[in-house]
Amino acid sequence: MSELPEAPFKNPRADHGFKGRTCSIESVGSYVPEKVLTNADLEKIVDTTDEWITSRTGIKERRIAADDEATSDLGAKASLMAMERAGISPDEIDLVICATITPDMPFPSTACLIQEKIGAHGAAAFDLEAACSGFIYGIEIAQQFIMSRTYNCVLVVGAEKLSSIIDWKDRNTCVLFGDGAGAVIMRNRDGAHGLLTAKMGADGRKANILSMPGGGSLNPASTDSINSRLHYLRMDGKEVYKNAVTAMCRSAKEVLKRCELSAEDIKLVIPHQANKRIIDAVGDRLGAKPEQVYMNLQKYGNTSAASVAIALDEAVSEGHIQRGDLILIMVFGAGLTWGAAVIEW
Ligand code: UT7
């Protein structure tokens, strides 16, 4: 076992009995469906304009999965890309975690369906539901399994077919979301730092401001639930907006503090891609320069649990991040849930 290299920053995990066991994010991959739905296309579906969508959200287009393409198909494609980049064979994966609010079906889990599609037959598999915050919840859980020596190699997937729960008659929500998937391979590796620290938060008192009320045990599918449009995503956009800015800033500040870092130490900030105005406000409050903040929501809209993973993949592919750079990621979503994490890439 080689010694950990001297880090230029404080690794909070090193103080908590994890010395000698380190975990790296080996690779990232992503997949978005081929079909593009532009703002101009939406103008033909609901009473909206490209000008309104662009100025209020920054979104120009989003991807829509084919009818026969399920969340597990998107997730499997992103996973296979991450596995190839990490040089990992399916039998090396110990655990598959899929973060999603649009599972293929209530059960079995989408993680099990992805496990089968990528051939990781020896892996345990489960879904986690933290809405748009799912990717940070997922990598933190993966890290804990690796640090505790339960598993060596974990696949974390954020995958969504949000087009399947969008009310295409509701202009308040249908312009905001898109489909896609991102995945990372996390693995025990000597000398790697990977996920330095993560903060996860939740506030169930605000569960009602963003939800899909139908289809669960409270409102099982019925003619009534369908007629009342309970099987679609509902959101109080203004309330979500306010809470998103506050919670992402607060958790980002906390993880930076834990690592004794400030915004200028961070190479790239990758926030949840929901709204350009939210991202600008959070970047400003953290004191990050605009060029430090990554944004690709103009191409994909809000892809919930997949959002930060897709953005991470594109930021790496476009050369914005090199190995050893520090990244700050932040998420926010239904629950309410939120989180922030510092990663040494
Ligand atoms: O992943 C986490 C989940 N979601 C989010 O993070 C979203 C957070 N919220 C937001 O991004 C913003 O609140 C929205 C983009 C959803 C809305 O922006 P806003 O500046 O808060 O607009 P608003 O809700 O105040 O709506 C302003 C007006 C309303 O008209 P009236 O009542 O003022 O006459 C809406 O009916 O804009 C109207 N409107 C639209 N007009 C054209 C709402 N949607 C549209 C639309 N096209 N698509």
Side-chain angles (χ1 to χ4, degrees):
M1 297 260 284
S2 62
E3 283 294 301
L4 263 178
E6 199 60 43
F9 45 82
K10 183 173 153 66
N11 182 346
R13 311 263 185 195
D15 298 339
H16 291 91
F18 290 131
K19 243 182 178 150
R21 181 84 174 169
T22 55
C23 162
S24 113
I25 299 182
E26 297 280 284
S27 64
V28 57
S30 69
Y31 173 77
V32 289
E34 269 168 42
K35 185 180 170 189
V36 176
L37 186 71
T38 65
N39 291 351
D41 296 330
L42 281 166
E43 287 177 357
K44 295 175 200 142
I45 301 173
V46 284
D47 180 16
T48 191
T49 59
D50 172 48
E51 197 283 326
W52 191 96
I53 303 170
T54 307
S55 63
R56 297 295 179 112
T57 72
I59 300 164
K60 297 298 284 182
E61 57 189 44
R62 66 289 292 143
R63 299 300 179 99
I64 304 293
D67 288 346
D68 61 356
E69 208 174 16
T71 296
S72 65
D73 296 310
L74 311 183
K77 285 185 177 153
S79 301
L80 288 169
M81 183 186 283
M83 288 158 63
E84 190 188 329
R85 288 176 175 170
I88 295 269
S89 62
D91 55 2
E92 289 177 84
I93 297 173
D94 300 312
L95 173 65
V96 178
I97 301 174
C98 179
T100 186
I101 53 169
T102 48
D104 287 20
M105 52 192 102
F107 66 88
S109 70
T110 301
C112 282
L113 303 174
I114 291 174
Q115 184 239 40
E116 153 63 9
K117 285 177 182 170
I118 64 173
H121 300 299
F126 66 85
D127 282 3
L128 85 83
E129 215 282 53
C132 303
S133 307
F135 185 66
I136 285 188
Y137 273 63
I139 57 174
E140 173 64 2
I141 293 167
Q143 167 114 329
Q144 297 295 334
F145 273 122
I146 292 169
M147 291 304 205
S148 67
R149 296 178 158 76
T150 308
Y151 295 125
N152 275 320
C153 182
V154 182
L155 167 67
V156 181
V157 193
E160 301 285 11
K161 185 176 177 179
L162 292 169
S163 59
S164 66
I165 58 162
I166 292 303
D167 184 347
W168 293 102
K169 290 187 171 162
D170 177 12
R171 69 175 184 173
N172 291 289
T173 53
C174 75
V175 302
L176 303 174
F177 298 96
D179 302 335
V184 290
I185 294 284
M186 295 177 68
R187 194 179 207 188
N188 165 232
R189 187 153 62 78
D190 290 351
H193 287 161
L195 177 56
L196 296 187
T197 192
K199 161 83 183 165
M200 303 184 293
D203 184 356
R205 288 170 300 184
K206 293 178 181 150
N208 62 330
I209 66 174
L210 179 50
S211 67
M212 188 179 83
S217 58
L218 184 61
N219 300 300
S222 66
T223 311
D224 266 1
S225 74
I226 291 168
N227 291 339
S228 308
R229 308 187 81 73
L230 298 188
H231 300 274
Y232 293 121
L233 177 154
R234 292 177 173 188
M235 177 169 71
D236 178 343
K238 267 197 188 324
E239 272 308 302
V240 175
Y241 188 115
K242 280 188 286 187
N243 283 282
V245 174
T246 313
M248 286 203 288
C249 285
R250 199 176 290 151
S251 43
K253 283 178 182 165
E254 183 174 334
V255 292
L256 288 175
K257 193 170 161 211
R258 280 190 207 163
C259 299
E260 297 177 4
L261 295 168
S262 61
E264 59 260 31
D265 300 311
I266 299 296
K267 180 71 187 299
L268 202 64
V269 179
I270 306 181
H272 174 47
Q273 305 286 309
N275 185 319
K276 180 179 186 306
R277 291 185 296 143
I278 295 177
I279 293 176
D280 288 345
V282 172
D284 269 4
R285 288 194 195 183
L286 291 177
K289 299 190 190 89
E291 61 272 22
Q292 273 176 288
V293 183
Y294 190 76
M295 220 175 316
N296 66 358
L297 59 75
Q298 63 283 1
K299 294 189 286 181
Y300 307 127
N302 181 348
T303 56
S304 189
S307 158
V308 166
I310 296 172
L312 176 64
D313 183 31
E314 294 208 336
V316 171
S317 305
E318 290 162 8
H320 296 289
I321 313 165
Q322 310 300 328
R323 284 289 177 192
D325 285 340
L326 293 172
I327 311 166
L328 171 66
I329 61 177
M330 286 171 282
V331 290
F332 185 83
L336 296 178
T337 55
W338 59 85
V342 179
I343 291 169
E344 186 202 30
W345 180 244

